[in-house]
Amino acid sequence: MAAREHFGGRVAVVMAMAGSAIGLGNIWRFPYVLGQNGGAAFLLVYVLSCFLLALPIFCSETVIGRRSRANTFGAMEKLAPGTPWKWLGLLTIISPLLILSYYSVVGGWSVEYFAKSLSFDFDSVNPLAAEGFFDRFISSTWKPVLTHTVFLGITAGIVLFGVKKGIERFSKWTIPALFVLIVAILVYSLSLPGSGSGVEYLFHPDFSKLGAQGVSAAMGQAFFSMSLGVGTILTYASYVKKEEDLVKSGFGTALFDLGFALLAGFAVMPAVFAAGLAPQEGPSLVFQTLPFIFTKMGSSSPWLGALVSIIFFLSILVAALTSSISMMEVGVAYLVEEKKMKRTTATLAITAFTWALGVLCSLSLGVLGEYRILGLSIFDFLDRLCSNWLLPAGGLLFTLFVGWKMKKADVWDEITNSGTIPLACKFFPVIYFLIRFVAPVGIFIVFISPLLF
Ligand code: TRP
């Protein structure tokens, strides 16, 4: 078999990992989950979850990935051969594929919105018309299936090129550009009349709206946003060179991801209020609000409005792609290394599976609407299953594996590069304590709390 690939250097590692982390989770999911759970109170819990729970899981996944230099299944076979841990390996092959299926449907929506902004279709949009358009589009039969196919096709195309030429190159160029764009949108959004109430909403915590459900949603969102619990980060870490600093890369990625979510929240919420929409609108929030901002913008200068909307939907699309490639890579790495498939065959197999499931998800918002699982459409069921159960479960098991199953000396070796990084050596006891106790206990409590209250 060909030698395993590596990421080029620190910048490449952080950009690829931040590429995986920054995505629809930040721009599409974060604002509406925030809106549904009371704004500022949610924000506080979210930031805490990022550092106390998500970061330790992130470190755990990178330790397992780089130590084993294998796909998620192979990692468990190498580090804990012949034990039931192999089930964790298997679980983390399947869950990213489930996520990719519905993620690609939403990615497809951004393809449609990008195409629409290219044809200047948002010219006469008002919030009501935007809502109508969105609802009609996602519940229709053919178009969203087509855009899902396009999105998944581009994802497969990048993954086919491999780790360095595909994933690394793509993320390295697009992530910095995304930051510039989101800041521009934020500035514009804050200048809209009526945006002040949106800012206030984000700054005044109302804990009564949060509850146990809200806390678990904040944790689920933190895991989703940092791509945790399903082996994506583990797989990327398996391509990180031995001399790279894992803790710094993890911190860098977490800061990028959190920063981007906050920027997106502050870009979207004020615009939501300015448009007179309700913050708890749900998954359609971003797709209804943004066309409105762009049209408003267009009223003073049509070219500017059109240009910004093209760039904006292009960036949502690109952000989604840097994430979808990371989900696909998990399954591809598994098939190539464990089942000895060619990269092309493996990519096609994964694409076929996620495409079919994605089609079901898309249709479940329209013609297949009556088929309900636990009262939810297939699309919502998959999102709930993954974000609220599979991700936290995977995260919990990864921290238990590193904290309790692996030898402390091995964990030390990975985190401090055998004692050669002074800062990592100094903070090792804190990191190890977070991995061993704080993260697992925290996840467990939050896991069971909706059942208790
Ligand atoms: N983190 C990405 C986002 O915010 C999505 C993502 C990529 C993901 N890989 C993942 C989510 C693995 C959960 C698990 O859009």
Side-chain angles (χ1 to χ4, degrees):
M1 197 170 58
R4 270 188 128 242
E5 287 190 86
H6 282 304
F7 284 127
R10 163 91 56 80
V11 176
V13 172
V14 175
M15 288 307 158
M17 287 188 175
S20 170
I22 295 172
L24 294 170
N26 307 56
I27 312 180
W28 162 70
R29 203 171 184 283
F30 179 73
Y32 84 75
V33 179
L34 175 89
Q36 286 174 332
N37 292 288
F42 175 89
L43 209 56
L44 275 178
V45 181
Y46 178 72
V47 174
L48 280 180
S49 310
C50 281
F51 287 99
L52 295 180
L53 307 180
L55 205 54
I57 305 178
F58 192 99
C59 284
S60 307
E61 285 202 34
T62 50
V63 164
I64 301 173
R66 195 176 60 172
R67 184 92 198 153
S68 64
R69 297 204 156 163
N71 62 87
T72 59
F73 185 78
M76 290 298 139
E77 290 285 277
K78 269 194 186 168
L79 302 180
T83 63
W85 286 103
K86 75 161 180 259
W87 295 107
L88 175 60
L90 270 185
L91 172 76
T92 50
I93 303 292
I94 295 162
S95 33
L97 299 186
L98 299 183
I99 301 176
L100 181 56
S101 310
Y102 70 88
Y103 198 87
S104 167
V105 173
V106 185
W109 300 348
S110 67
V111 171
E112 168 72 10
Y113 272 66
F114 173 57
K116 256 184 120 42
S117 57
L118 270 185
S119 55
F120 296 89
D121 257 14
F122 293 133
D123 276 4
S124 55
V125 156
N126 61 44
L128 258 182
E131 192 176 337
F133 171 76
F134 179 76
D135 291 342
R136 265 190 321 261
F137 168 65
I138 64 165
S139 60
S140 61
T141 304
W142 296 108
K143 241 184 165 181
V145 168
L146 181 71
T147 53
H148 154 63
T149 310
V150 171
F151 182 85
L152 204 57
I154 306 177
T155 305
I158 303 171
V159 171
L160 268 181
F161 273 98
V163 175
K164 229 174 144 64
K165 286 211 192 104
I167 296 173
E168 173 177 326
R169 199 164 50 177
F170 189 70
S171 313
K172 221 166 151 174
W173 290 107
T174 49
I175 293 299
L178 284 178
F179 271 89
V180 176
L181 288 168
I182 197 78
V183 170
I185 305 284
L186 178 123
V187 170
Y188 184 76
S189 166
L190 290 179
S191 74
L192 290 172
S195 62
S197 358
V199 177
E200 194 163 311
Y201 179 76
L202 292 170
F203 275 118
H204 284 287
D206 178 359
F207 283 94
S208 66
K209 289 220 189 82
L210 194 64
Q213 289 285 354
V215 175
S216 113
M219 183 185 77
Q221 173 60 24
F223 293 175
F224 186 91
S225 191
M226 289 200 7
S227 308
L228 297 173
V230 305
T232 339
I233 295 300
L234 190 161
T235 306
Y236 271 16
S238 74
Y239 302 125
V240 173
K241 290 188 196 139
K242 285 290 180 205
E243 60 271 21
E244 225 61 74
D245 182 335
L246 287 183
V247 180
K248 256 194 199 144
S249 307
F251 227 82
T253 308
L255 286 181
F256 267 126
D257 185 56
L258 181 62
F260 200 87
L262 293 178
L263 289 174
F266 275 90
V268 173
M269 269 313 155
V272 168
F273 279 82
L277 294 167
Q280 55 273 43
E281 190 58 44
S284 58
L285 189 71
V286 166
F287 289 98
Q288 289 173 9
T289 325
L290 294 171
F292 166 78
I293 311 182
F294 299 134
T295 335
K296 284 280 253 186
M297 212 166 172
S299 59
S300 51
S301 152
W303 278 104
L304 188 64
L307 185 71
V308 176
S309 84
I310 291 170
I311 300 176
F312 186 78
F313 286 112
L314 179 65
S315 36
I316 295 200
L317 176 59
V318 167
L321 283 170
T322 55
S323 302
S324 60
I325 52 182
S326 73
M327 297 181 218
M328 191 176 272
E329 180 62 25
V330 177
V332 170
Y334 166 73
L335 291 180
V336 169
E337 291 174 10
E338 304 299 318
K339 302 285 167 205
K340 310 290 173 231
M341 279 189 192
K342 284 212 186 78
R343 197 167 172 92
T344 323
T345 326
T347 309
L348 285 179
I350 299 287
T351 307
F353 175 84
T354 43
W355 181 80
L357 194 56
V359 169
L360 286 181
C361 289
S362 179
L363 296 180
S364 78
L365 301 174
V367 285
L368 294 184
E370 317 87 84
Y371 292 94
R372 302 249 143 196
I373 309 174
L374 303 176
L376 299 167
S377 66
I378 304 175
F379 183 103
D380 290 336
F381 172 76
L382 271 186
D383 182 38
R384 210 58 83 73
L385 173 73
C386 294
S387 324
N388 293 8
W389 297 97
L390 296 184
L391 268 62
L396 176 66
L397 292 170
F398 280 134
T399 52
L400 291 178
F401 186 82
V402 173
W404 300 90
K405 169 77 189 156
M406 279 178 79
K407 283 201 210 87
K408 188 174 177 184
D410 292 348
V411 181
W412 160 269
D413 265 354
E414 287 305 321
I415 289 196
T416 67
N417 289 2
S418 310
T420 58
I421 310 171
L423 203 62
C425 293
K426 203 164 136 207
F427 283 105
F428 180 77
V430 181
I431 299 168
Y432 199 55
F433 182 76
L434 286 174
I435 292 178
R436 242 166 112 87
F437 299 103
V438 178
V441 172
I443 301 167
F444 186 72
I445 292 176
V446 183
F447 228 148
I448 57 167
S449 61
L451 307 175
L452 299 179
F453 299 110

